[in-house]
Every structure is written in C-alpha cells, then in structure tokens.
Amino acid sequence: KAGVTQTPRYLIKTRGQQVTLSCSPISGHRSVSWYQQTPGQGLQFLFEYFSETQRNKGNFPGRFSGRQFSNSRSEMNVSTLELGDSALYLCASSDPAQDYGYTFGSGTRLTVV
Amino acid sequence: GIQVEQSPPDLILQEGANSTLRCNFSDSVNNLQWFHQNPWGQLINLFYIPSGTKQNGRLSATTVATERYSLLYISSSQTTDSGVYFCAGGMKLQFGAGTQVVVTP
C-alpha cells in the first residue's frame, strides 16, 4: 500500500507570493489533516478534511486555506506569504473506521525569503 | 483546547540503556498516539493506544486513560532510536512539545 505523498518536498518563495501544497492520502483513507511544524511553535494543527468537508480548523489566519477533492487528495494554500510561514508542512491521513491512528507524509519544507 | 505535556524534554542515553517517556493530557482523549520523528523530519506512528498496553519489539507503551497519562518505554536502546518522540491526541490531534532522545554508542 502506498503511503502518504506530499509534493513538492522543498519550496522557496518570496514574501507576498502564494503557495499551494498537495497531499495524496493512503488509498481508502478519507480523512486528511494538515500541520505546521516550526522550531518555536512545534507541531500545530491547521485543519482536517473528511469527505471533502472541513471538519476542524486550527488557530491560523485566513491566509491559510485548504480543500479536499472527491478522490480524497487535499491541497492547502497560503496566500500573501510572510517570513514566519517558513516551516515544515506535514499532512496525515487516517481511516476513522480503523484503530491505527494517523500516517504522515514526508512533508513539504517551505522557505519564505 | 487540550494541553499535552511531555517529559523529560531531553534524554541522553548510552546504547543498551532503558528509558521511560511520559505524556500527560489536560483532558480525556480517545485517540492517543505516539510518534517518532527522525532527523529528516519523517513522523512515524509508533502506537495508537487510547488505553491499555501495547508492545512492538523493543518499544512498548501504556496508557492509563482514567488518569490521563501515557508512558513510552524504550528498552535496550540503539543509536537508531535517536530523534524526537511525540505524543498526541484529541479531536485536532494536539501534539506535545516532544522528547529529544540522543542515544550514544
């Protein structure tokens, strides 16, 4: 079974630009969650999607948005990038019907210059 | 939201030593998980353990749900066990700050 695939792996953007990150969950998983990891704030929850609906949202500004498609692939978008958005962005997929928890992708490392 | 507290924040072990990591939750969670993050950033799910005890090789975990804490045991540690160990749980899968483990040869 293929794992969680995140693209791209690395990204360098300029302040003020926008960026779109992609996450393909494990086949059959309908839940996708996104996290931001920084040295100062640790792992912070961004949002969770289930069957194309946002089910939970973290405490991030409206510049951070996401969506999920009918094939469960998810994208997150950050508009008007700031230097503080530099981070490792991780997505995780899960199947609420099974008791083995979340599987994470390798992440996208975003650097804003 | 739920607060997750992990201890100790740092741990240095000699190869072959045993250790215990602890995770406390401010409220009940029914989806407690332990993860290991390797130096390349990959988060690996070690245990899904809302209650009870599980073992996987040299690692085992115990969650006492009624007292809102979980323990991760590393036995006969190896250098490959180095990395950051996180516990997480709750509706938004809230993560603790992690325990940085360094195993020296």
Side-chain angles (χ1 to χ4, degrees):
Chain A
K1 210 180 215 185
V4 179
T5 303
Q6 288 190 247
T7 57
R9 289 296 310 277
Y10 302 92
L11 209 45
I12 300 176
K13 289 286 188 178
T14 304
R15 259 185 309 177
Q17 287 187 313
Q18 76 163 17
V19 67
T20 299
L21 311 182
S22 178
C23 173
S24 293
I26 289 172
S27 178
H29 285 192
R30 290 187 291 163
S31 176
V32 174
S33 301
W34 288 90
Y35 292 81
Q36 181 197 64
Q37 186 176 28
T38 59
Q41 299 298 318
L43 276 153
Q44 292 187 286
F45 172 79
L46 280 156
F47 23 67
E48 179 195 6
Y49 287 88
F50 181 82
S51 293
E52 302 180 66
T53 301
Q54 188 179 85
R55 200 154 64 163
N56 283 300
K57 191 176 189 311
N59 297 325
F60 279 81
R63 300 185 297 107
F64 291 81
S65 63
R67 59 180 176 168
Q68 186 179 34
F69 301 96
S70 58
N71 62 358
S72 294
R73 189 178 72 85
S74 178
E75 287 182 348
M76 68 163 280
N77 183 277
V78 188
S79 62
T80 320
L81 284 165
E82 300 177 359
L83 296 179
D85 297 332
S86 295
L88 179 65
Y89 290 87
L90 292 158
C91 89
S93 80
S94 67
D95 179 355
Q98 304 213 20
D99 293 340
Y100 55 73
Y102 286 41
T103 302
F104 278 83
S106 299
T108 294
R109 191 165 294 278
L110 171 66
T111 302
V112 183
V113 298
Chain B
I2 290 174
Q3 306 300 313
V4 184
E5 197 175 282
Q6 289 189 245
S7 60
D10 300 280
L11 198 54
I12 300 177
L13 301 169
Q14 194 144 23
E15 210 166 21
N18 303 327
S19 63
T20 301
L21 283 58
R22 185 177 177 109
C23 175
N24 292 328
F25 282 81
S26 61
D27 203 348
S28 299
V29 299
N30 61 3
N31 61 348
L32 197 150
Q33 298 168 58
W34 284 96
F35 296 89
H36 174 233
Q37 189 168 41
N38 65 25
W40 297 273
Q42 178 72 54
L43 266 172
I44 304 295
N45 191 310
L46 298 174
F47 294 103
Y48 175 85
I49 186 165
S51 64
T53 297
K54 288 187 178 179
Q55 179 148 12
N56 185 0
R58 295 179 297 100
L59 300 180
S60 63
T62 295
T63 296
V64 183
T66 52
E67 297 188 24
R68 304 194 302 272
Y69 75 88
S70 184
L71 303 172
L72 179 70
Y73 305 96
I74 306 174
S75 65
S76 304
S77 58
Q78 300 178 358
T79 55
T80 50
D81 294 330
S82 296
V84 184
Y85 290 80
F86 293 99
C87 65
M91 212 165 49
K92 299 180 181 180
L93 202 66
Q94 183 74 28
F95 278 76
T99 293
Q100 172 85 55
V101 172
V102 174
V103 182
T104 60

